[in-house]
Amino acid sequence: MAEENANQNRGGFTTREALFYHETIRPGKLEIVATKPMTSQRDLSLAYSPGVAAPVEAIAADASLAARYTAKANLVAVISNGTAILGLGNLGALASKPVMEGKAVLFKRFADVDSIDIELDTEDPEAFINAVALMEPTFGGINLEDIKAPECFIIEAALRERMKIPVMHDDQHGTAIITAAGLLNACYLTDRKIEDVKVVVNGAGAAAIACTALIKAMGVRHENVIMCDRSGPITPGRDGVDQWKSAHAVATDATTLEEALKGADIFLGLSAAGALKPEWVAEMADKPIIFAMANPTPEIMPDEAKAVRPDAIIATGRSDFPNQVNNVLGFPFIFRGALDVQATTINEEMKVAAATAIAELARERVPEEVASAYGKNQKFGTDYIIPAPFDPRLIEVVSSAVAKAAMDSGVAKAPIADLDEYRHQLKSRLNPTTAVLTGVYNEAKANPKRMVFAEAEEEVVLRAAIQFRDFGYGTPILVGRTKAVMDKLHQLSVSDPGSFEIQNSADSEYVPAMVDYLYKRLQRRGYTERDVRRMVNQERNVFAALLVALGHGDGLISGVTRTYAQTVREVNLVLDKKPDALPFGIHMMIGKNHTTFLADTTINERPNSEELAYIAKETAAVARRMGHEPRVAFLSYSTFGNPSGQWLSNIRDAVAILDRDGCDFEYEGEMAPDAALNPRVMSLYPFSRLSAPANVLIMPGLQSANLSAKLLRELGSNTTIGPMLIGMEKPVQIVPMTAAAPDVLTLAVLSSAGVVG
Ligand SMILES: NC(=O)C1=CN([C@@H]2O[C@H](COP(=O)(O)OP(=O)(O)OC[C@H]3O[C@@H](n4cnc5c(N)ncnc54)[C@H](OP(=O)(O)O)[C@@H]3O)[C@@H](O)[C@H]2O)C=CC1
Ligand SMILES: CC(=O)C(=O)O
Ligand SMILES: [Mg+2]
């Protein structure tokens, strides 16, 4: 690779970096992961011979059981012959593999659809059709990709006819759905009526023809669309025009793309890099809408278009510019919905439902995860006409709309009875935290509290506070300098900043009472009134805790500007622990199939047996409040005395205390983590009182607890929530200094729902 090629800028990275990405870790972007254990002779017998005969016979007797006993129902093939790889042209089946692997990964990442790429080395439609049709037993759906027109039309129509599973050529229909959604919103933003817009489509291939058909079905008038191919506008009777292009022929005086664009409202580019010149854009109507969707290089770069038409709305197919109009927003979610109802096809109703759902979603407030991922505030407008691919709402909203449309139009073999429950499952599918925390969120909403956000000048905290209010969890009280907080609220495009309660120690009416209260509390602990006044005025944790102590707020959240220990110290100046309580910390680890609670991860360095027993009981209670039947393991390096050691008696005594107290949950110890968590190791100890792997792990000391929590956060694949502080007289939560807004929000909600505290 010549050095200048290696360093070619490809939009924020070089050719070398893109190649390294594909080469490193292991070549390519995909691997297959088994869903069942395969570690013992028994596993082998079950998975393969003789066990596998059971599902074989069942499926032979009833084909529908393939959905139950195999991966078929959630498996989609991404199939290409490489004749139209993005906008790079016909580079052959093998060269298309990186794109197809990529699409397979996107299926998994965005919609938990298992997917595999298949590249077929043929340009003969008949051979292609036969090869794909024969694969019907393997897959739940077929996503055709990057097959050029007009062969793609013949191939897709034949396969839809022959196969009883959904077949969709993504470059046609996936693209059309997203384009329609984007155009609806762009027209809305520029006050255009869909039936009046004048559109020039550049390109007359797979994507262009399908997009044009769909926007016409949604109201754009046939005579208002001029479609151009490499030879210019397609007019009735023009030579060399096939049946698919001629369906969009219109009479026009324009003989070139340039002429066609004069006065046009919309340019829809599904052609090739650089096909649109800035000087032609200059001739378009006011507030022109420019969708330059060729990949990887658009028909015109956004800055070139903006330079001549600052009033334009511009979209491309790329992730590195605003308004990514790309079928990645569609195909994962469309297939998710289709698979979930076992749709026999993807019909027009399902496509229109998807387009409408995506368009409507863009008009709603953008969630924090998206704002964090994109590093800026996104709000419906000319630079945000369509949701971003990382928007976690897409799966819920688009897939459920598609599933419903499939049911309503009679193509669902397995209709869903409870669509609300289905939406909930969709949400949880990618984010197990959602499933675990939904009950807590609902509890918070049912009984909204006033939560003091002690560090409201910090953006992560402010974002969390805004969501706390907007999602109806309660009322945030923002502690900070009034102007600094107001400026940040404006920067975050909050429409009603004046409606937030801001508490500023410089002018709060509560200060005299606070000083009075705190002085009484601290005067015999070495503090003068002047010390106290200074702390109230200058220490935001002290001021915030006083708001709670004096009843102006129900709970407190802090931690991003001070270390954990310092924040605890400042809060303790004002608030006590609960009588007879031992404050401690819990980390919650949420994995795909299990949730585990770890304690004490923050406060007590060497808990004695009474303290360990207390921590176990309280952590079990938190687990239960969060809907998990607790199974407590007291962890150690030793399992039931082996190896022996001098640190074990504490743990044994803690178990004896639970025996004495007659607890209503399972507990056991001392045990090493494998004896607590791994069923095979557990089976070596048939006398153990744990009926299943433990989900509450009581650690022997702060060192091991804190290290484990942090190691799991850094090295494990689980989502970590916490530390959650237990045992304070008022709900107080202290987040890590590295917390992002969703972490702050989660702890605020857990606290306000009374689940922890
Ligand atoms: N953003 C997105 O989500 C998507 C973008 N695309 C992009 O759309 C483009 C076309 O893809 P696809 O439809 O699958 O490919 P096809 O091969 O089916 O179609 C290509 C079309 O583009 C036309 N074309 C090529 N160069 C020019 C040019 N300079 N001026 C006018 N027309 C031109 C061809 O004209 P002719 O018929 O005369 O050969 C043909 O009609 C690609 O760049 C692709 O990356 C596609 C799908 C999704
Ligand atoms: C995005 C896509 O599918 C394409 O450019 O072909
Ligand atoms: Mg494509």
Side-chain angles (χ1 to χ4, degrees), residues 83-90 103 145-153 169-172 174-176 178-179 201-211 227-232 234 238 240 242 245 257 269-276 292-299 316-318 324-329:
T83 50
I85 308 177
L86 311 176
L88 302 170
N90 183 350
K103 293 251 167 177
E145 191 68 43
D146 290 3
I147 305 165
K148 79 176 174 64
E151 293 83 346
C152 63
F153 303 125
H169 181 203
D170 178 40
D171 296 286
Q172 293 184 55
T175 315
I178 311 312
T179 305
V201 181
N202 198 46
I209 285 183
C211 288
M227 180 178 279
C228 302
D229 59 11
R230 280 176 235 252
S231 310
I234 297 169
R238 203 192 86 183
D242 61 34
K245 289 183 181 179
L257 172 62
L270 291 148
S271 50
L276 179 62
M293 294 169 63
N295 284 316
T297 311
E299 283 78 0
T316 69
R318 293 167 50 138
Q324 182 179 19
V325 176
N326 189 304
N327 50 34
V328 62
L329 282 178

Side-chain angles (χ1 to χ4, degrees), residues 78 167 197 237 341 436 533 591 666 719:
V78 177
V167 176
V197 289
V341 293
V436 173
R533 189 174 298 282
E666 290 181 19
T719 302

Side-chain angles (χ1 to χ4, degrees), residues 229-392:
D229 59 11
R230 280 176 235 252
S231 310
I234 297 169
T235 48
R238 203 192 86 183
D239 282 348
V241 169
D242 61 34
Q243 67 188 92
W244 293 279
K245 289 183 181 179
S246 73
H248 298 287
V250 287
T252 169
D253 294 337
T255 57
T256 60
L257 172 62
E258 178 182 2
E259 288 171 14
L261 278 168
K262 291 206 164 77
D265 297 298
I266 297 174
F267 169 84
L268 198 55
L270 291 148
S271 50
L276 179 62
K277 302 287 169 237
E279 53 276 24
W280 307 344
V281 172
E283 299 294 312
M284 291 179 71
D286 274 357
K287 298 187 189 163
I289 298 169
I290 299 168
F291 281 21
M293 294 169 63
N295 284 316
T297 311
E299 283 78 0
I300 190 166
M301 294 305 267
D303 54 343
E304 291 177 301
K306 270 274 180 223
V308 284
R309 290 307 296 264
D311 59 338
I313 292 184
I314 302 165
T316 69
R318 293 167 50 138
S319 336
D320 52 343
F321 297 118
N323 295 332
Q324 182 179 19
V325 176
N326 189 304
N327 50 34
V328 62
L329 282 178
F331 68 83
F333 315 111
I334 295 163
F335 273 94
R336 175 78 277 143
L339 292 174
D340 288 342
V341 293
Q342 291 182 28
T344 51
T345 186
I346 292 170
N347 59 23
E348 292 311 305
E349 289 87 339
M350 292 156 80
K351 292 180 208 163
V352 171
T356 313
I358 294 167
E360 285 172 1
L361 188 60
R363 301 182 194 186
E364 288 176 19
R365 191 183 179 91
V366 177
E368 177 53 36
E369 292 98 308
V370 181
S372 305
Y374 288 83
K376 58 181 182 251
N377 197 33
Q378 303 204 316
K379 193 172 166 213
F380 184 55
T382 54
D383 276 346
Y384 177 79
I385 58 170
I386 192 144
F390 282 101
D391 192 324

